[in-house]
Amino acid sequence: MKRRTLAGIGAGVFLLPLAACGDGDDSGGDGGGDGLLVGFAQVGAESAWRTANSDSVKAAADADERIAELKFVDAQQEQEKQIDAIRTFITQKVDVIVLAPVVETGWTEVLEEAEQAGIPVILADRGIEEADEDLYVTRLGSDFVAEGHSAGAWAATTFAADTDFRILELQGTTGSAPANDRKAGFFDELDTQGVAYTIVDSQTGNFTKEEGKAVMETFISTYGLEDIDLLYAHNDEMGLGAIQAIEEAGKAPGTDIQIIIVDGSKAGFQAGVDGKVNYIVECNPAFGEQLMDVIVQVADGESVEKFTPVEEGVFDASQFEAELPNRQF
Ligand code: GYE
């Protein structure tokens, strides 16, 4: 296979001259013709979306002759583990670092270390704060603000006639780009459309099913469900956990309370087909092949856009059944 023999032990030694030539302006890490050594600091394995994303990136790297090796680190949703991984990648003299940052802040120091080592950084999926924009070359991922707007647009239409529109929100990981942006886009859309609403409560469920369920149980015991119109869950897992909590409380998700989820996994669509979810905003994790192209472009010193959005759609109840067989994760 295309993988270099002795990859791992031999890679650091082998790549020294390449990394040295990557220090220049053209950063041509692929100069030896043996393919690129890439380090990927992934968020974790918190959701079906994440697993599909890891699979897509690994498969694309495996199939791509231009990539010699992908060093993959699962950071278990901990920023410290991602920072450690980046420092290890620097020591290993990788050609390109790919980071899916768990949160938006706290990256300056380690990204400056990568910069000093002459290793370009690409953000995959999540973004970081604007102040650190110069410390990465490009981001490939979703437009989370747009996803929030899509969810908000459906809510604004669906509850247009409601004079007392009451919302519960299950936010993603605190401080993460998708949590910040999905929230901002959603409420910005409602405000722009002049919708009168009340945020009854908004808590993080850390993008996991377990935490989504636990938070929903607390919501139910604190507020009941009688006066709640909508649950906006920032991903499928938290929505699916909340559905369990609602059912265990003897209520009907999708009917007694309407539910929006973001991602669009098979399980999410199945819940939609079962009438338990009312609207799905798609978030597409399958950008592995596109990422390999960006990695090669960046390693070759080509100019790339600062942000490349992946394409995604929205689905209402009339589309769930037809779309379910198409879902890949
Ligand atoms: O929506 C969620 C995952 O960053 C877009 O992270 C990603 C989000 C995705 O845990 O399911």
Side-chain angles (χ1 to χ4, degrees):
M1 294 243 5
K2 74 187 172 60
R3 277 178 191 281
R4 278 189 303 241
T5 32
L6 295 184
I9 312 170
V13 179
F14 190 76
L15 277 170
L16 265 172
L18 301 184
C21 57
D23 284 340
D25 278 342
D26 64 357
S27 67
D30 197 14
D34 291 293
L36 296 165
L37 180 60
V38 178
F40 179 25
Q42 175 62 296
V43 169
E46 73 282 2
S47 62
W49 188 100
R50 184 67 52 198
T51 305
N53 180 247
S54 295
D55 290 350
S56 167
V57 173
K58 286 178 188 169
D62 262 346
D64 196 321
E65 295 293 331
R66 302 167 301 176
I67 309 297
E69 189 188 347
L70 179 79
K71 293 183 176 294
F72 179 90
V73 174
D74 170 344
Q76 299 169 301
Q77 289 190 288
E78 287 176 37
Q79 182 173 34
E80 274 312 308
K81 291 204 165 89
Q82 292 196 300
I83 290 174
D84 286 348
I86 293 171
R87 294 204 165 117
T88 304
F89 296 151
I90 293 171
T91 311
Q92 292 168 330
K93 298 191 182 332
V94 299
D95 295 291
V96 176
I97 291 171
V98 179
L99 168 65
V102 61
V103 291
E104 291 191 285
T105 57
W107 298 104
T108 316
E109 197 180 327
V110 74
L111 293 188
E112 279 173 359
E113 289 168 26
E115 187 176 51
Q116 274 150 26
I119 302 172
V121 174
I122 296 169
L123 301 187
D125 168 28
R126 300 182 183 179
I128 60 175
E129 62 180 338
E130 252 176 65
D132 285 341
E133 207 178 65
D134 292 344
L135 294 174
Y136 66 90
V137 184
T138 183
R139 173 166 96 85
L140 172 65
S142 303
D143 183 339
F144 305 126
V145 179
E147 292 172 350
H149 275 283
S150 298
W154 180 82
T157 307
T158 306
F159 296 96
D162 196 331
T163 49
D164 184 26
F165 174 27
R166 294 167 64 79
I167 303 167
L168 288 171
E169 183 182 32
L170 273 172
Q171 294 185 46
T173 301
T174 303
S176 70
N180 291 341
D181 294 353
R182 285 172 185 165
K183 181 181 187 62
F186 181 80
F187 290 108
D188 182 53
E189 185 67 31
L190 294 186
D191 292 339
T192 306
Q193 296 211 28
V195 177
Y197 61 86
T198 304
I199 304 174
V200 176
D201 209 337
S202 176
Q203 302 288 336
T204 181
N206 201 23
F207 281 130
T208 68
K209 189 170 181 180
E210 296 68 33
E211 288 174 73
K213 180 170 188 249
V215 174
M216 193 66 202
E217 283 166 355
T218 308
F219 283 166
I220 294 170
S221 61
T222 312
Y223 310 105
L225 280 178
E226 282 68 29
D227 294 329
I228 308 294
D229 299 297
L230 177 74
L231 172 69
Y232 172 39
H234 287 190
N235 82 339
D236 283 19
E237 270 66 27
M238 296 189 296
L240 295 169
I243 285 170
Q244 277 186 8
I246 294 163
E247 289 181 327
E248 284 171 18
K251 301 286 181 189
T255 308
D256 291 333
I257 175 173
Q258 300 221 27
I259 299 177
I260 301 175
I261 57 177
V262 185
D263 276 353
S265 61
K266 281 184 190 145
F269 268 84
Q270 186 60 56
V273 170
D274 296 342
K276 298 174 183 178
V277 159
N278 308 83
Y279 198 61
I280 298 176
V281 177
E282 181 185 34
C283 184
N284 181 1
F287 54 69
E289 286 179 18
Q290 219 180 334
L291 178 62
M292 296 311 128
D293 288 341
V294 175
I295 288 169
V296 172
Q297 283 170 338
V298 167
D300 286 348
E302 284 175 32
S303 74
V304 288
E305 296 290 331
K306 194 75 193 181
F307 171 53
T308 306
V310 295
E311 279 187 22
E312 30 211 28
V314 289
F315 303 89
D316 66 18
S318 69
Q319 298 162 297
F320 293 154
E321 195 155 358
E323 180 58 24
L324 178 58
N326 300 333
R327 305 317 294 172
Q328 299 296 317
F329 67 103

